[in-house]
Amino acid sequence: LTADEFELLKVLAAHPGRIYTRDQLMDAMYRDERVVSERTVDSHVKKIRRKVADAVPDREIIHSVYGLGYKYEW
């Protein structure tokens, strides 16, 4: 995982089941107030999902919650 992907996964995994909006995830990941697109989070989630699928094909750990954001569930 890249540093940004690891930070995103760390935030999500700290509270399994909690739904985070993209803004909440960006605030937690980028504490230096840099400006990034909302789609940056989507891109990181996609990459994490792909890497997890390579390691554990039958497991999805990051779930999209329509209209709200993302949550982690093992």
Side-chain angles (χ1 to χ4, degrees), residues 49-66:
R49 284 177 171 161
R50 190 177 315 128
K51 291 173 183 178
V52 169
D54 288 345
V56 189
D58 298 332
R59 175 76 59 161
E60 183 176 340
I61 62 170
I62 300 177
H63 300 270
S64 299
V65 181
Y66 183 76

Side-chain angles (χ1 to χ4, degrees), residues 2-33:
T2 67
D4 287 344
E5 292 166 1
F6 180 78
E7 193 63 32
L8 174 61
L9 188 55
K10 185 171 85 172
V11 170
L12 288 168
H15 299 281
R18 177 180 169 184
I19 300 168
Y20 288 89
T21 65
R22 286 180 182 91
D23 285 338
Q24 289 172 324
L25 291 170
M26 286 188 297
D27 289 345
M29 291 171 57
Y30 301 111
R31 299 179 191 275
D32 59 1
E33 303 298 321

Side-chain angles (χ1 to χ4, degrees), residues 31-45:
R31 299 179 191 275
D32 59 1
E33 303 298 321
R34 76 178 86 168
V35 177
V36 294
S37 165
E38 278 189 352
R39 296 299 172 195
T40 300
V41 171
D42 299 338
S43 177
H44 290 317
V45 166

